[in-house]
Amino acid sequence: SETPEGYLTKGAAVAACMNAVPYAVSALGPEDLTLSPADLEKLVRASSFTVLASNLYLRNNKKPAFIKSQLVVAAGGTRLGFLAVSVMDPERFNVRRYLPNYKLEKESYEIERALKALKEGGARVTVLLLGVNPKKQAGKDFYAAFLGKLPRLDLVITDEPGLNKPFKVKKTWVVPAPSKLTAAARIELSIEPDTGRLADVRAGNLRLEKDKYGEDAGTLETVNRQRAVITKLFSRRVGAAAADILRTESSASPLGNFTADCVKRWARSDASIINNSVLGGDILKGPVTAGDLYRVLPFDTSVVFVKIRGSDLKRAIETVSRDISVSGMEIRMQGPAVERLSIGGEPVRPGHIYRIAVPDAIVNDKDYSILSSATEFANSRRFLREVLGWCFSRRTVTPKPDLDRIIRTE
């Protein structure tokens, strides 16, 4: 969950609140995939409703046994078949993606498999619960391209924030649902009595106004109990920032640089590299709390110690994503090539072995090549946010880090 309560309890507080509502089915979201498989299993088993993720695999290429790919639900005399997929980047969909703990298979392949199972299970109307990365707006062009690669679906329900009213792509209805629980979607389906097929859809959002609808005492008690516990834990002060430390400023990441500094210092390494995709927000001037650490580093990403030759490090940097931050090294790029690479103020020696600290997301992600180039590596089992908290706790005021560590020219 993207809420503070969800961060600290690894979704348990959110599941407890959802259990107080009679949900039948839910889809995993991008925040859920920041959990380790063991923590995700605990969350799913604690939920009173069925959790779907049709294109989710573990890193060993096996489906998680505790999550279903599809579900048939009887409602209003009609058998509805539900499936769910997550799209991390609507500009590059239908490609296999590797996350720190999971693999997202191509959507078209998994949707085709789930639809076949739903039809065999007697579903007359098929419903896709589509999760789109909230940091990426899709737009109507995405849905035309996405659905054009799929077998026919009757209805797509998505919480993608760029949509505000239902529309059709050929014979498929696309209906937005609110991403925040300030409102709830009301979706009415008209079914042809002779064929059982979907004939029409009417949808709109109902604002959840307390004065109009009241509050359920049992649900409110559950919410308040969870919120009180988490608020106390999240308000614990871990340090202070003398100035805003932003995730992005110009073409660099002050927070990425600062996090890289913390990792290098904690690991006592020659240098460190951070992929800025693990960062979730900004550190603002003033007191820094435990809640801030979970907000800016929502992923359960641990620090890995890597030993790598200078020549291999140079090649690895040339192949990594452009969105990285470093500490202990200076890089000058000429286009995609490393023109100059120094560590500790000295040019990198090709045959020398350097000790580099990185997040496990860099080691595990196939977009990066550090693991294949390393002579040795070991996982510290310490989360990146723990290391950041350690760094804040050791100084009263945290300075804003410099920016010009990677210089790029075309």
Side-chain angles (χ1 to χ4, degrees):
S1 167
E2 61 181 324
T3 64
E5 294 86 354
Y7 287 153
L8 194 57
T9 66
K10 299 182 178 180
V14 178
C17 295
M18 292 181 69
N19 287 343
V21 181
Y23 289 108
V25 61
S26 177
L28 290 181
E31 298 86 5
D32 301 310
L33 301 182
T34 66
L35 297 174
S36 69
D39 288 328
L40 182 60
E41 181 173 6
K42 289 179 185 177
L43 178 62
V44 171
R45 297 197 184 282
S47 302
S48 60
F49 43 86
T50 300
V51 178
L52 299 180
S54 305
N55 65 329
L56 182 68
Y57 285 78
L58 300 174
R59 294 293 298 231
N60 61 8
N61 293 321
K62 293 183 179 179
K63 285 266 192 178
F66 51 90
I67 292 178
K68 291 187 176 182
S69 294
Q70 64 277 328
L71 178 71
V72 177
V73 176
T78 299
R79 293 177 66 81
L80 305 176
F82 289 90
L83 64 158
V85 298
S86 297
V87 176
M88 301 305 290
D89 186 351
E91 294 183 358
R92 294 183 64 242
F93 62 88
N94 210 35
V95 296
R96 185 179 295 117
R97 291 192 175 275
Y98 291 87
L99 307 179
N101 293 309
Y102 306 99
K103 179 184 77 170
L104 292 175
E105 189 51 86
K106 295 180 180 180
E107 297 91 3
S108 60
Y109 174 69
E110 296 300 327
I111 288 174
E112 185 174 353
R113 291 182 62 188
L115 285 174
K116 183 175 184 294
L118 289 172
K119 296 293 186 182
E120 293 173 350
R124 302 305 301 271
V125 176
T126 52
V127 183
L128 171 65
L129 305 179
L130 177 61
V132 178
N133 187 342
K135 296 180 180 179
K136 306 273 188 177
Q137 285 205 1
K140 289 187 178 181
D141 291 343
F142 158 74
Y143 292 93
F146 180 73
L147 293 171
K149 294 182 177 293
L150 304 178
R152 178 183 168 180
L153 287 155
D154 295 305
L155 174 64
V156 174
I157 302 174
T158 178
D159 61 358
E160 197 266 307
L163 302 180
N164 52 32
K165 61 181 180 179
F167 62 95
K168 288 188 78 172
V169 176
K170 295 185 178 179
K171 295 184 178 181
T172 302
W173 282 93
V174 179
V175 177
S179 57
K180 306 291 184 182
L181 280 181
T182 54
R186 180 183 178 87
I187 304 173
E188 298 180 8
L189 308 182
S190 296
I191 307 297
E192 295 177 353
D194 295 335
T195 64
R197 301 291 300 178
L198 180 64
D200 194 17
V201 172
R202 288 186 295 175
N205 293 336
L206 299 175
R207 289 195 59 80
L208 300 180
E209 301 173 13
K210 181 175 68 173
D211 294 340
K212 185 174 182 179
Y213 299 106
E215 293 179 312
D216 179 77
T219 302
L220 185 61
E221 180 184 357
T222 300
V223 171
N224 288 339
R225 183 173 62 252
Q226 296 291 340
R227 183 171 290 160
V229 173
I230 302 306
T231 299
K232 182 178 179 180
L233 292 172
F234 264 73
S235 63
R236 179 177 61 85
R237 176 173 168 152
V238 297
D244 293 347
I245 308 178
L246 305 180
R247 185 190 184 279
T248 304
E249 182 175 317
S250 299
S251 60
S253 173
L255 181 59
N257 286 351
F258 175 68
T259 303
D261 288 342
C262 289
V263 170
K264 175 182 178 295
R265 186 176 169 205
W266 176 81
R268 298 181 180 180
S269 58
D270 298 317
S272 66
I273 303 173
I274 299 293
N275 51 325
N276 294 329
S277 60
V278 303
L279 305 174
D282 305 325
I283 292 286
L284 302 181
K285 178 181 178 180
V288 177
T289 66
D292 292 324
L293 299 182
Y294 276 84
R295 178 176 51 79
V296 301
L297 288 169
F299 295 91
D300 283 348
T301 301
S302 56
V303 177
V304 175
F305 308 122
V306 174
K307 290 184 178 180
I308 186 171
R309 289 185 178 85
S311 56
D312 292 327
L313 177 61
K314 179 180 177 181
R315 283 193 293 268
I317 290 174
E318 289 177 338
T319 59
V320 299
S321 163
R322 292 175 65 90
D323 194 20
I324 61 171
S325 297
V326 299
S327 178
M329 66 172 69
E330 294 181 355
I331 306 170
R332 182 179 291 273
M333 304 286 295
Q334 178 67 44
V338 173
E339 185 178 73
R340 184 178 185 277
L341 175 63
S342 62
I343 290 181
E346 298 291 333
V348 165
R349 291 173 284 164
H352 184 75
I353 293 180
Y354 293 90
R355 295 175 295 109
I356 311 295
V358 299
D360 61 4
I362 283 185
V363 173
N364 294 331
D365 198 322
K366 288 194 175 182
D367 289 339
Y368 299 88
S369 63
I370 286 182
L371 177 60
S372 61
S373 304
T375 61
E376 185 180 332
F377 70 95
N379 196 317
S380 70
R381 305 299 177 186
R382 290 291 297 272
F383 288 141
L384 201 54
R385 76 172 70 91
E386 293 180 284
V387 175
L388 192 64
W390 173 86
C391 207
F392 273 109
S393 70
R394 295 180 66 84
R395 54 177 70 182
T396 303
V397 176
T398 304
K400 182 178 179 180
D402 59 290
L403 298 178
D404 299 327
R405 303 180 183 185
I406 304 176
I407 298 175
R408 304 179 189 275
T409 57
E410 299 300 331

